[in-house]
Amino acid sequence: MFKTLNDGHIVTHNGIFHCDEAMACAMLKVLPKFQKLYICRTRDLKLINAGFIVVDVGAVFNESTRR
């Protein structure tokens, strides 16, 4: 979990993991720009909306907002 909602974090769904979000998170964490981001696994809409990068959860695709 993250320290505050203002900390940078990558959000994906909780529950049973699938290869697509595991791969997405791993690829992001390899990049220096995103190495220090926390990974939060949740379906809580408040936490999803607060995410810096959201992958495989939230039912939205918008490249400009990293969703």
Side-chain angles (χ1 to χ4, degrees):
M1 205 61 169
F2 32 81
K3 296 174 186 173
T4 71
L5 289 177
N6 295 325
D7 290 339
H9 52 284
I10 300 166
V11 178
T12 190
H13 63 78
N14 61 353
I16 298 172
F17 81 92
H18 304 113
C19 294
D20 57 344
E21 80 271 0
M23 182 68 154
C25 290
M27 290 174 69
L28 288 166
K29 295 287 282 181
V30 168
L31 298 171
K33 182 177 180 179
F34 305 121
Q35 282 180 347
K36 294 184 180 181
L37 296 183
Y38 300 95
I39 295 175
C40 173
R41 298 183 71 224
T42 186
R43 293 207 186 256
D44 182 329
L45 195 53
K46 180 180 176 185
L47 298 177
I48 293 169
N49 290 336
F52 181 71
I53 298 175
V54 177
V55 297
D56 203 34
V57 69
V60 172
F61 175 77
N62 185 332
E63 185 177 350
S64 65
T65 60
R66 299 172 306 277
R67 302 289 187 268

Coordinates of all heavy atoms in Angstrom, one line a residue:
M1 N 0.9 -1.2 0.0 CA 0.0 0.0 0.0 C 0.9 1.2 0.0 O 2.1 1.2 0.3 CB -0.9 -0.1 1.2 CG -2.1 0.7 1.1 SD -3.1 0.0 -0.2 CE -4.6 0.8 0.1
F2 N 0.3 2.4 -0.3 CA 1.1 3.6 -0.4 C 0.9 4.4 0.9 O 0.0 4.2 1.7 CB 0.8 4.4 -1.6 CG -0.6 4.3 -2.0 CD1 -1.6 5.1 -1.4 CD2 -1.0 3.5 -3.0 CE1 -2.9 5.0 -1.8 CE2 -2.3 3.4 -3.5 CZ -3.3 4.1 -2.8
K3 N 1.9 5.3 1.1 CA 1.9 6.1 2.4 C 0.7 7.1 2.4 O 0.1 7.3 3.4 CB 3.2 6.8 2.5 CG 4.4 5.8 2.7 CD 5.7 6.5 2.7 CE 6.8 5.4 2.7 NZ 8.1 6.0 2.6
T4 N 0.6 7.8 1.3 CA -0.5 8.8 1.1 C -1.1 8.7 -0.3 O -0.4 8.2 -1.2 CB -0.1 10.2 1.4 OG1 0.7 10.7 0.3 CG2 0.7 10.4 2.7
L5 N -2.2 9.3 -0.5 CA -2.7 9.3 -1.9 C -1.9 10.2 -2.8 O -2.0 10.1 -4.0 CB -4.2 9.8 -1.9 CG -5.2 8.8 -1.3 CD1 -6.6 9.4 -1.2 CD2 -5.2 7.5 -2.0
N6 N -1.1 11.0 -2.2 CA -0.2 11.9 -3.0 C 1.0 11.2 -3.5 O 1.7 11.7 -4.4 CB 0.1 13.2 -2.3 CG -1.1 14.0 -2.0 OD1 -2.0 14.1 -2.7 ND2 -1.1 14.6 -0.8
D7 N 1.4 10.1 -2.9 CA 2.6 9.4 -3.4 C 2.3 8.8 -4.7 O 1.2 8.4 -5.0 CB 2.9 8.2 -2.4 CG 3.4 8.7 -1.1 OD1 3.9 9.8 -1.0 OD2 3.3 7.9 -0.1
G8 N 3.3 8.8 -5.6 CA 3.2 8.2 -6.9 C 2.9 6.7 -6.8 O 3.6 6.0 -6.0
H9 N 2.0 6.2 -7.5 CA 1.7 4.7 -7.5 C 1.1 4.2 -8.8 O 0.5 5.0 -9.5 CB 0.9 4.3 -6.3 CG -0.4 5.1 -6.1 ND1 -0.4 6.4 -5.6 CD2 -1.7 4.8 -6.3 CE1 -1.7 6.8 -5.6 NE2 -2.4 5.9 -6.0
I10 N 1.4 3.0 -9.0 CA 0.8 2.2 -10.1 C -0.4 1.5 -9.6 O -0.2 0.8 -8.6 CB 1.8 1.3 -10.7 CG1 3.0 2.0 -11.3 CG2 1.2 0.5 -11.9 CD1 4.2 1.1 -11.6
V11 N -1.5 1.6 -10.2 CA -2.7 0.9 -9.6 C -3.1 -0.2 -10.6 O -3.2 0.0 -11.8 CB -3.9 1.8 -9.4 CG1 -5.1 1.1 -8.9 CG2 -3.5 2.9 -8.4
T12 N -3.4 -1.4 -10.1 CA -4.0 -2.5 -10.9 C -5.0 -3.2 -10.0 O -5.2 -2.9 -8.8 CB -2.9 -3.5 -11.4 OG1 -3.5 -4.4 -12.3 CG2 -2.2 -4.2 -10.3
H13 N -5.7 -4.1 -10.6 CA -6.8 -4.8 -9.8 C -6.2 -5.8 -8.8 O -5.1 -6.3 -8.9 CB -7.8 -5.5 -10.7 CG -7.2 -6.6 -11.5 ND1 -7.0 -7.9 -11.0 CD2 -6.8 -6.7 -12.8 CE1 -6.5 -8.6 -11.9 NE2 -6.4 -7.9 -13.0
N14 N -7.0 -6.0 -7.7 CA -6.7 -7.0 -6.7 C -7.3 -8.3 -7.1 O -7.9 -8.5 -8.1 CB -7.1 -6.5 -5.3 CG -8.6 -6.3 -5.2 OD1 -9.3 -6.4 -6.1 ND2 -9.0 -6.0 -4.0
G15 N -7.2 -9.3 -6.2 CA -7.7 -10.6 -6.5 C -6.7 -11.4 -7.2 O -5.5 -11.2 -7.1
I16 N -7.2 -12.4 -8.0 CA -6.3 -13.3 -8.7 C -5.6 -12.5 -9.8 O -6.2 -11.7 -10.5 CB -7.1 -14.4 -9.4 CG1 -7.8 -15.3 -8.3 CG2 -6.2 -15.2 -10.3 CD1 -8.8 -16.3 -8.9
F17 N -4.3 -12.6 -9.8 CA -3.5 -11.8 -10.8 C -3.5 -12.6 -12.1 O -3.7 -13.8 -12.2 CB -2.1 -11.6 -10.3 CG -1.1 -12.7 -10.5 CD1 -0.4 -12.8 -11.7 CD2 -1.0 -13.7 -9.5 CE1 0.5 -13.9 -11.9 CE2 -0.1 -14.8 -9.7 CZ 0.7 -14.8 -10.9
H18 N -3.3 -11.8 -13.2 CA -3.3 -12.3 -14.5 C -1.9 -11.8 -15.1 O -1.3 -10.8 -14.7 CB -4.4 -11.7 -15.4 CG -5.8 -12.1 -14.8 ND1 -6.6 -11.1 -14.3 CD2 -6.4 -13.2 -14.6 CE1 -7.7 -11.7 -13.9 NE2 -7.6 -13.0 -14.1
C19 N -1.5 -12.5 -16.1 CA -0.2 -12.2 -16.7 C -0.1 -10.8 -17.3 O 1.0 -10.2 -17.3 CB 0.2 -13.2 -17.8 SG 0.4 -14.8 -17.2
D20 N -1.2 -10.2 -17.8 CA -1.2 -8.9 -18.4 C -0.8 -7.8 -17.4 O 0.0 -7.0 -17.7 CB -2.4 -8.6 -19.2 CG -3.7 -8.7 -18.4 OD1 -3.7 -9.2 -17.3 OD2 -4.7 -8.1 -18.9
E21 N -1.5 -7.8 -16.3 CA -1.1 -6.7 -15.3 C 0.2 -6.9 -14.6 O 0.9 -6.0 -14.3 CB -2.2 -6.4 -14.3 CG -2.3 -7.3 -13.1 CD -3.2 -8.5 -13.4 OE1 -3.7 -8.7 -14.5 OE2 -3.3 -9.4 -12.5
A22 N 0.6 -8.2 -14.4 CA 1.9 -8.5 -13.9 C 3.0 -8.0 -14.8 O 4.0 -7.4 -14.4 CB 2.0 -10.0 -13.6
M23 N 2.8 -8.3 -16.1 CA 3.8 -7.9 -17.1 C 3.8 -6.3 -17.2 O 4.9 -5.8 -17.3 CB 3.5 -8.5 -18.4 CG 4.4 -8.1 -19.5 SD 6.0 -8.9 -19.2 CE 6.7 -9.1 -20.8
A24 N 2.7 -5.7 -17.2 CA 2.6 -4.2 -17.3 C 3.3 -3.6 -16.1 O 4.1 -2.7 -16.3 CB 1.2 -3.8 -17.3
C25 N 3.1 -4.1 -14.9 CA 3.7 -3.5 -13.7 C 5.3 -3.8 -13.8 O 6.1 -2.9 -13.5 CB 3.1 -4.1 -12.4 SG 1.5 -3.5 -12.1
A26 N 5.7 -5.0 -14.2 CA 7.1 -5.3 -14.3 C 7.8 -4.4 -15.3 O 8.9 -3.9 -15.0 CB 7.3 -6.8 -14.6
M27 N 7.1 -4.2 -16.4 CA 7.7 -3.4 -17.5 C 7.9 -1.9 -17.0 O 8.9 -1.3 -17.3 CB 6.9 -3.4 -18.8 CG 7.0 -4.8 -19.4 SD 5.9 -5.0 -20.8 CE 6.7 -3.8 -22.0
L28 N 6.9 -1.4 -16.3 CA 6.9 0.0 -15.8 C 8.0 0.1 -14.7 O 8.8 1.1 -14.7 CB 5.6 0.4 -15.2 CG 4.5 0.6 -16.2 CD1 3.1 0.7 -15.5 CD2 4.8 1.9 -17.0
K29 N 8.2 -0.9 -13.8 CA 9.1 -0.8 -12.8 C 10.6 -0.9 -13.3 O 11.5 -0.5 -12.6 CB 8.9 -1.9 -11.7 CG 7.6 -1.7 -11.0 CD 7.6 -0.6 -10.0 CE 8.4 -1.1 -8.8 NZ 8.5 0.0 -7.7
V30 N 10.8 -1.4 -14.5 CA 12.1 -1.5 -15.1 C 12.6 -0.1 -15.5 O 13.8 0.2 -15.5 CB 12.1 -2.5 -16.3 CG1 13.4 -2.3 -17.1 CG2 12.0 -3.9 -15.7
L31 N 11.6 0.8 -15.9 CA 12.0 2.1 -16.4 C 12.4 3.0 -15.2 O 11.7 3.1 -14.2 CB 10.8 2.7 -17.1 CG 10.3 1.9 -18.4 CD1 9.0 2.5 -18.9 CD2 11.4 2.0 -19.5
P32 N 13.5 3.7 -15.4 CA 14.0 4.6 -14.3 C 12.9 5.6 -13.8 O 12.9 5.9 -12.6 CB 15.2 5.3 -14.9 CG 15.7 4.4 -16.0 CD 14.4 3.7 -16.5
K33 N 12.1 6.1 -14.7 CA 11.1 7.1 -14.4 C 10.1 6.6 -13.4 O 9.5 7.3 -12.6 CB 10.4 7.6 -15.6 CG 9.4 8.6 -15.5 CD 8.8 9.1 -16.8 CE 7.8 10.1 -16.6 NZ 7.2 10.6 -17.9
F34 N 9.9 5.3 -13.4 CA 8.8 4.7 -12.6 C 9.3 3.7 -11.5 O 8.5 3.1 -10.8 CB 7.8 3.9 -13.5 CG 7.2 4.8 -14.6 CD1 7.4 4.5 -15.9 CD2 6.5 5.9 -14.3 CE1 6.9 5.2 -16.9 CE2 6.0 6.7 -15.3 CZ 6.2 6.4 -16.6
Q35 N 10.6 3.5 -11.4 CA 11.1 2.5 -10.4 C 10.7 2.7 -9.0 O 10.5 1.8 -8.2 CB 12.6 2.5 -10.5 CG 13.2 1.8 -11.7 CD 14.7 1.8 -11.7 OE1 15.4 2.6 -11.0 NE2 15.3 1.0 -12.6
K36 N 10.5 4.0 -8.6 CA 10.2 4.2 -7.2 C 8.7 4.3 -6.9 O 8.3 4.5 -5.8 CB 10.8 5.6 -6.7 CG 12.3 5.5 -6.8 CD 13.0 6.7 -6.2 CE 14.5 6.5 -6.3 NZ 15.2 7.7 -5.8
L37 N 7.8 4.0 -7.9 CA 6.4 4.0 -7.7 C 6.0 2.8 -6.9 O 6.5 1.7 -7.2 CB 5.7 4.1 -9.0 CG 5.8 5.4 -9.9 CD1 5.0 5.3 -11.1 CD2 5.5 6.6 -9.1
Y38 N 5.0 3.0 -6.1 CA 4.4 1.8 -5.4 C 3.4 1.1 -6.3 O 2.9 1.8 -7.2 CB 3.6 2.3 -4.1 CG 4.5 3.0 -3.1 CD1 4.6 4.4 -3.1 CD2 5.2 2.3 -2.1 CE1 5.4 5.1 -2.2 CE2 6.0 3.0 -1.2 CZ 6.0 4.4 -1.2 OH 6.8 5.0 -0.3
I39 N 3.2 -0.1 -6.1 CA 2.1 -0.8 -6.8 C 1.0 -1.1 -5.8 O 1.2 -1.7 -4.7 CB 2.6 -2.2 -7.4 CG1 3.7 -1.9 -8.5 CG2 1.5 -3.0 -8.0 CD1 4.4 -3.1 -9.0
C40 N -0.2 -0.7 -6.2 CA -1.4 -0.8 -5.3 C -2.3 -1.7 -6.1 O -2.7 -1.4 -7.2 CB -2.0 0.5 -5.1 SG -3.6 0.4 -4.2
R41 N -2.8 -2.8 -5.5 CA -3.7 -3.7 -6.1 C -5.1 -3.5 -5.4 O -5.2 -3.8 -4.2 CB -3.3 -5.2 -6.0 CG -1.9 -5.4 -6.7 CD -1.5 -6.8 -6.7 NE -2.3 -7.6 -7.5 CZ -2.8 -8.8 -7.2 NH1 -2.5 -9.3 -6.0 NH2 -3.6 -9.4 -8.0
T42 N -6.0 -3.0 -6.1 CA -7.3 -2.6 -5.5 C -8.4 -2.5 -6.5 O -8.1 -2.5 -7.7 CB -7.2 -1.2 -4.8 OG1 -8.4 -1.0 -4.1 CG2 -6.9 -0.1 -5.7
R43 N -9.6 -2.5 -6.1 CA -10.8 -2.1 -6.9 C -11.5 -0.9 -6.4 O -12.6 -0.6 -6.8 CB -11.7 -3.3 -7.1 CG -11.1 -4.5 -7.8 CD -12.1 -5.3 -8.5 NE -11.4 -6.5 -9.1 CZ -11.2 -6.6 -10.4 NH1 -11.5 -5.6 -11.2 NH2 -10.6 -7.7 -10.9
D44 N -10.9 -0.3 -5.4 CA -11.5 0.9 -4.7 C -11.4 2.1 -5.7 O -10.3 2.5 -6.0 CB -10.7 1.2 -3.4 CG -11.3 2.4 -2.7 OD1 -11.8 3.3 -3.3 OD2 -11.2 2.4 -1.4
L45 N -12.5 2.6 -6.2 CA -12.5 3.6 -7.2 C -11.7 4.9 -6.7 O -11.1 5.5 -7.5 CB -13.9 4.0 -7.6 CG -14.1 4.8 -8.9 CD1 -13.4 4.1 -10.1 CD2 -15.6 5.0 -9.2
K46 N -11.8 5.2 -5.5 CA -11.1 6.4 -5.0 C -9.6 6.2 -5.2 O -8.9 7.1 -5.6 CB -11.4 6.6 -3.5 CG -10.7 7.7 -2.8 CD -11.0 7.9 -1.4 CE -10.2 9.0 -0.7 NZ -10.4 9.1 0.7
L47 N -9.1 5.0 -4.9 CA -7.6 4.7 -5.0 C -7.2 4.6 -6.5 O -6.2 5.1 -6.9 CB -7.2 3.5 -4.3 CG -7.5 3.5 -2.8 CD1 -7.1 2.1 -2.2 CD2 -6.6 4.6 -2.1
I48 N -8.1 4.0 -7.3 CA -7.9 4.0 -8.8 C -7.8 5.4 -9.4 O -6.8 5.7 -10.1 CB -9.0 3.1 -9.5 CG1 -8.9 1.7 -9.0 CG2 -8.9 3.3 -11.0 CD1 -10.1 0.8 -9.4
N49 N -8.7 6.2 -9.0 CA -8.7 7.6 -9.5 C -7.5 8.4 -9.1 O -7.1 9.3 -9.7 CB -10.0 8.3 -9.2 CG -11.2 7.8 -9.9 OD1 -11.0 7.2 -11.0 ND2 -12.3 7.9 -9.3
A50 N -6.9 8.0 -7.9 CA -5.7 8.7 -7.4 C -4.4 8.2 -8.0 O -3.4 8.8 -7.7 CB -5.7 8.6 -5.9
G51 N -4.5 7.1 -8.7 CA -3.3 6.5 -9.3 C -2.6 7.4 -10.3 O -3.2 8.1 -11.0
F52 N -1.2 7.3 -10.2 CA -0.4 8.0 -11.2 C -0.5 7.3 -12.6 O -0.6 7.9 -13.6 CB 1.0 8.1 -10.8 CG 1.9 8.8 -11.7 CD1 1.8 10.2 -11.8 CD2 2.9 8.2 -12.4 CE1 2.6 10.9 -12.7 CE2 3.7 8.8 -13.3 CZ 3.6 10.2 -13.5
I53 N -0.4 6.0 -12.5 CA -0.6 5.1 -13.7 C -1.6 4.0 -13.3 O -1.4 3.4 -12.2 CB 0.7 4.4 -14.1 CG1 1.7 5.5 -14.5 CG2 0.5 3.5 -15.3 CD1 3.1 4.9 -14.9
V54 N -2.6 3.7 -14.1 CA -3.6 2.7 -13.8 C -3.5 1.7 -15.0 O -3.6 2.1 -16.1 CB -5.0 3.3 -13.7 CG1 -6.0 2.2 -13.5 CG2 -5.0 4.3 -12.6
V55 N -3.4 0.4 -14.6 CA -3.3 -0.6 -15.6 C -4.3 -1.7 -15.3 O -4.4 -2.2 -14.2 CB -1.9 -1.2 -15.8 CG1 -0.9 -0.2 -16.3 CG2 -1.4 -1.8 -14.5
D56 N -5.1 -2.2 -16.3 CA -6.0 -3.3 -16.2 C -7.1 -3.2 -15.2 O -7.6 -4.2 -14.8 CB -5.1 -4.6 -16.0 CG -5.8 -5.9 -16.5 OD1 -6.5 -5.8 -17.5 OD2 -5.6 -6.9 -15.8
V57 N -7.5 -2.0 -14.9 CA -8.6 -1.8 -14.0 C -9.1 -0.4 -14.2 O -8.4 0.5 -14.6 CB -8.2 -2.0 -12.5 CG1 -7.3 -0.9 -12.0 CG2 -9.4 -2.1 -11.6
G58 N -10.4 -0.2 -14.0 CA -11.0 1.1 -14.1 C -11.9 1.3 -15.4 O -12.5 2.3 -15.5
A59 N -11.8 0.4 -16.3 CA -12.7 0.4 -17.5 C -12.5 1.7 -18.4 O -13.5 2.2 -18.9 CB -14.1 0.2 -17.1
V60 N -11.3 2.2 -18.4 CA -11.0 3.4 -19.2 C -9.7 3.2 -19.9 O -8.7 2.6 -19.4 CB -10.8 4.6 -18.3 CG1 -10.3 5.8 -19.0 CG2 -12.1 4.9 -17.6
F61 N -9.6 3.6 -21.2 CA -8.3 3.7 -21.9 C -8.1 5.1 -22.3 O -8.9 5.7 -23.1 CB -8.2 2.8 -23.1 CG -6.9 3.0 -23.8 CD1 -5.8 2.5 -23.3 CD2 -6.9 3.8 -25.0 CE1 -4.5 2.7 -24.0 CE2 -5.7 4.0 -25.6 CZ -4.5 3.5 -25.1
N62 N -7.1 5.8 -21.8 CA -6.8 7.2 -22.1 C -5.3 7.4 -21.9 O -4.8 7.5 -20.8 CB -7.6 8.2 -21.2 CG -7.4 9.6 -21.7 OD1 -6.3 9.9 -22.2 ND2 -8.3 10.4 -21.4
E63 N -4.6 7.3 -23.0 CA -3.1 7.4 -23.0 C -2.6 8.7 -22.3 O -1.7 8.7 -21.6 CB -2.6 7.3 -24.4 CG -1.1 7.2 -24.4 CD -0.5 7.0 -25.9 OE1 -1.3 6.8 -26.8 OE2 0.7 7.2 -26.0
S64 N -3.3 9.8 -22.6 CA -2.8 11.1 -22.1 C -2.9 11.2 -20.5 O -2.2 11.9 -19.9 CB -3.6 12.3 -22.7 OG -4.9 12.2 -22.3
T65 N -3.8 10.4 -19.9 CA -4.0 10.5 -18.5 C -3.4 9.2 -17.8 O -3.6 9.0 -16.6 CB -5.4 10.6 -18.0 OG1 -6.2 9.5 -18.5 CG2 -6.0 11.9 -18.5
R66 N -2.7 8.4 -18.6 CA -2.0 7.2 -18.1 C -3.1 6.2 -17.5 O -2.9 5.6 -16.5 CB -0.9 7.5 -17.1 CG 0.2 8.3 -17.7 CD 1.2 8.8 -16.7 NE 0.6 9.5 -15.6 CZ 0.3 10.7 -15.5 NH1 0.5 11.5 -16.6 NH2 -0.2 11.3 -14.4
R67 N -4.2 6.1 -18.2 CA -5.3 5.1 -17.8 C -5.5 4.2 -18.9 O -5.6 4.5 -20.1 CB -6.6 5.9 -17.5 CG -6.5 7.0 -16.4 CD -6.3 6.3 -15.1 NE -6.4 7.2 -14.0 CZ -5.3 7.8 -13.4 NH1 -4.1 7.7 -13.9 NH2 -5.5 8.6 -12.4

